[in-house]
């Protein structure tokens, strides 16, 4: 996204709309009208840097073949594929095709609609230890014993409930927005919206501040002297509220499963970890340590189960025996 891959500049709305209709008509015949979506934008948007098209890859039999046909049928001279993004130049406009599995097709469409409003909403959700993105809404579980570990637990992909949780009017969202101002007013109406991170220096958001929509949003807040600083509890204090609002997510059960898994892993780590191996075999360091551990673990059909049940002494003896063969090879 962003329309900057081929350095084409921005296109006036009249020309963009013509191309959008042409691409839509072509894809309707090629893959079916129900199998692609173009994210929405506010009505008075003046120009566009690109055209984004979401493709339901689950409903397209051979996307690689379709890409070849697009190049031929639309006389595409410039194109590039990176991951799930197929970028082309059609009539001097960058057209990006994003493939998504059916399970995330509509959620991605909603998240990408109306420019960067998804990022603004996402930052509100962070207050609750929730992650909002192309796959819906997730609770982020973090281990108390391992700061680097996190697990995303699906809460819902129902955008009506997602917006309602923040007090955002879904009916207005469905109807669309006449202007960027209407879009800004809609998101600001959330009782949980805070201006602090936008009006103060914040390293976490400085990069996003350079995006046109975020820049315009900050300018709007400053120009209209809008200040919202609701008081928030600690993130952990919202778990029960989240679980009650989204009972279908079974959040407490998932958290309990993660906590039990954490205990299980910690029991193993007390007997088996990199520090123990380096103390036994000081010459094994860095990348070699990771390689050694991977090879050692590959001996067992279920290495975690073995490490969990074995005593520390048994593991050390097993490591020494393995090391003898490892060193000779």
């Amino acid at each position: 996204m962003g329309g900057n891959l081929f350095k084409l500049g921005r296109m006036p709305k009249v020309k963009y709309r013509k191309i959008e209709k042409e691409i839509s008509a072509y894809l309707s015949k090629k893959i079916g009208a129900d199998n692609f979506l173009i994210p929405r934008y506010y009505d008075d948007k003046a120009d566009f840097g690109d055209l984004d098209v979401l493709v339901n890859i689950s409903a397209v039999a051979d996307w690689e073949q379709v890409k070849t046909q697009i190049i031929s049928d639309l006389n595409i001279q410039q194109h590039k594929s990176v991951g799930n993004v197929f970028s082309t130049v059609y009539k001097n406009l960058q057209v990006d095709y994003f493939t998504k599995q059916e399970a995330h097709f509509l959620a991605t469409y909603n998240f990408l609609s109306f420019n960067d409003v998804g990022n603004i909403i996402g930052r509100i959700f962070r207050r609750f230890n929730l992650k909002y993105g192309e796959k819906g809404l997730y609770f982020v579980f973090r281990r108390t014993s391992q700061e680097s570990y996190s697990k995303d637990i699906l809460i819902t992909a129902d955008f009506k409930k997602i917006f309602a949780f923040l007090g955002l009017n879904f009916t207005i969202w469905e109807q669309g927005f006449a202007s960027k101002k209407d879009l800004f007013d809609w998101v600001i109406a959330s009782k949980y919206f805070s201006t602090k991170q936008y009006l103060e220096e914040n390293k976490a958001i400085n990069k996003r501040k350079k995006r046109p929509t975020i820049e315009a949003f900050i300018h709007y807040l400053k120009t209209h002297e809008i200040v919202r600083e609701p008081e928030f509890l600690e993130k952990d204090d919202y778990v029960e509220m989240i679980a009650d609002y989204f009972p279908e997510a079974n959040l407490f059960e998932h958290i309990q499963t993660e906590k039990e898994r954490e205990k299980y892993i910690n029991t193993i780590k007390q007997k088996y970890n990199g520090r123990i191996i380096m103390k036994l075999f000081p010459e094994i360091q860095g990348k070699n340590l990771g390689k050694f551990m991977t090879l050692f673990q590959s001996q067992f059909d279920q290495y975690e189960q073995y490490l969990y049940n074995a005593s520390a002494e048994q593991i050390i003896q097993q490591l020494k025996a393995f090391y003898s063969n490892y060193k000779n090879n």
Side-chain angles (χ1 to χ4, degrees), residues 18-273:
K18 183 179 179 181
I19 291 176
E20 183 184 278
K21 288 179 180 179
E22 291 176 4
I23 294 293
S24 295
Y26 171 78
L27 291 176
S28 294
K29 293 180 180 179
K30 180 62 63 176
I31 63 175
D34 294 334
N35 298 325
F36 73 93
L37 287 169
I38 296 174
R40 295 185 295 162
Y41 44 87
Y42 47 90
D43 296 341
D44 70 351
K45 186 171 182 177
D47 52 34
F48 297 77
D50 60 1
L51 167 60
D52 294 329
V53 181
L54 299 177
V55 177
N56 181 359
I57 193 67
S58 303
V60 179
D62 189 341
W63 175 241
E64 289 302 316
Q65 182 180 357
V66 172
K67 285 164 60 177
T68 300
Q69 292 171 347
I70 289 173
I71 293 171
S72 175
D73 295 344
L74 301 183
N75 192 29
I76 301 299
Q77 301 299 313
Q78 293 177 276
H79 57 87
K80 184 175 183 180
S81 290
V82 179
N84 72 319
V85 184
F86 174 50
S87 298
T88 69
V89 176
Y90 176 71
K91 294 188 176 180
N92 208 41
L93 177 68
Q94 180 173 321
V95 181
D96 295 325
Y97 301 86
F98 297 81
T99 54
K100 292 292 177 179
Q101 295 294 331
E102 187 168 359
H104 305 133
F105 184 52
L106 287 176
T108 302
Y109 167 70
N110 279 301
F111 180 76
L112 294 182
S113 290
F114 305 114
N115 296 82
D116 275 325
V117 71
N119 288 323
I120 297 172
I121 294 172
R123 296 204 68 82
I124 302 175
F125 273 118
R126 288 189 183 186
R127 300 283 186 176
F128 305 94
N129 207 26
L130 293 169
K131 181 190 291 185
Y132 168 73
E134 295 181 4
K135 296 181 180 180
L137 187 66
Y138 286 77
F139 176 83
V140 183
F141 173 85
R142 293 182 173 85
R143 288 178 179 171
T144 55
S145 60
Q146 186 182 357
E147 292 182 3
S148 61
Y149 178 90
S150 66
K151 174 68 176 292
D152 294 344
I153 300 172
L154 178 63
I155 298 299
T156 186
D158 183 340
F159 273 71
K160 187 173 184 179
K161 290 200 71 174
I162 289 173
F163 291 160
F165 182 84
L166 295 182
L168 295 172
N169 191 314
F170 185 72
T171 301
I172 294 176
W173 170 269
E174 284 188 308
Q175 292 171 348
F177 303 93
S179 66
K180 195 179 290 186
K181 173 187 178 300
D182 291 342
L183 179 61
F184 292 162
D185 287 339
W186 176 79
V187 73
I188 289 169
S190 170
K191 62 182 177 180
Y192 298 117
F193 173 74
S194 174
T195 55
K196 188 173 183 180
Q197 58 196 320
Y198 297 99
L199 300 181
E200 295 181 1
E201 281 300 314
N202 186 311
K203 290 182 180 180
I205 201 174
N206 275 349
K207 289 184 178 179
R208 288 192 177 93
K209 283 182 178 180
K210 296 178 182 179
R211 296 175 67 92
T213 301
I214 301 299
E215 283 185 330
F217 184 55
I218 294 172
H219 177 74
Y220 183 75
L221 295 175
K222 290 180 177 179
T223 301
H224 292 82
E225 299 182 345
I226 297 171
V227 177
R228 303 274 195 280
E229 292 189 13
E231 293 185 8
F232 290 97
L233 305 173
E234 294 297 322
K235 290 182 178 180
D236 290 343
D237 294 330
Y238 290 109
V239 175
E240 186 171 351
M241 183 179 80
I242 296 166
D244 288 344
Y245 199 87
F246 302 99
E248 68 276 15
N250 298 314
L251 181 57
F252 283 126
E253 289 84 348
H254 286 295
I255 289 176
Q256 185 59 33
T257 298
E258 284 297 323
K259 288 183 176 180
E260 290 173 2
R261 171 70 178 166
E262 182 178 6
K263 289 180 181 179
Y264 184 82
I265 294 300
N266 285 342
T267 298
I268 293 173
K269 284 185 175 180
Q270 290 174 3
K271 301 178 287 184
Y272 172 79
N273 58 58

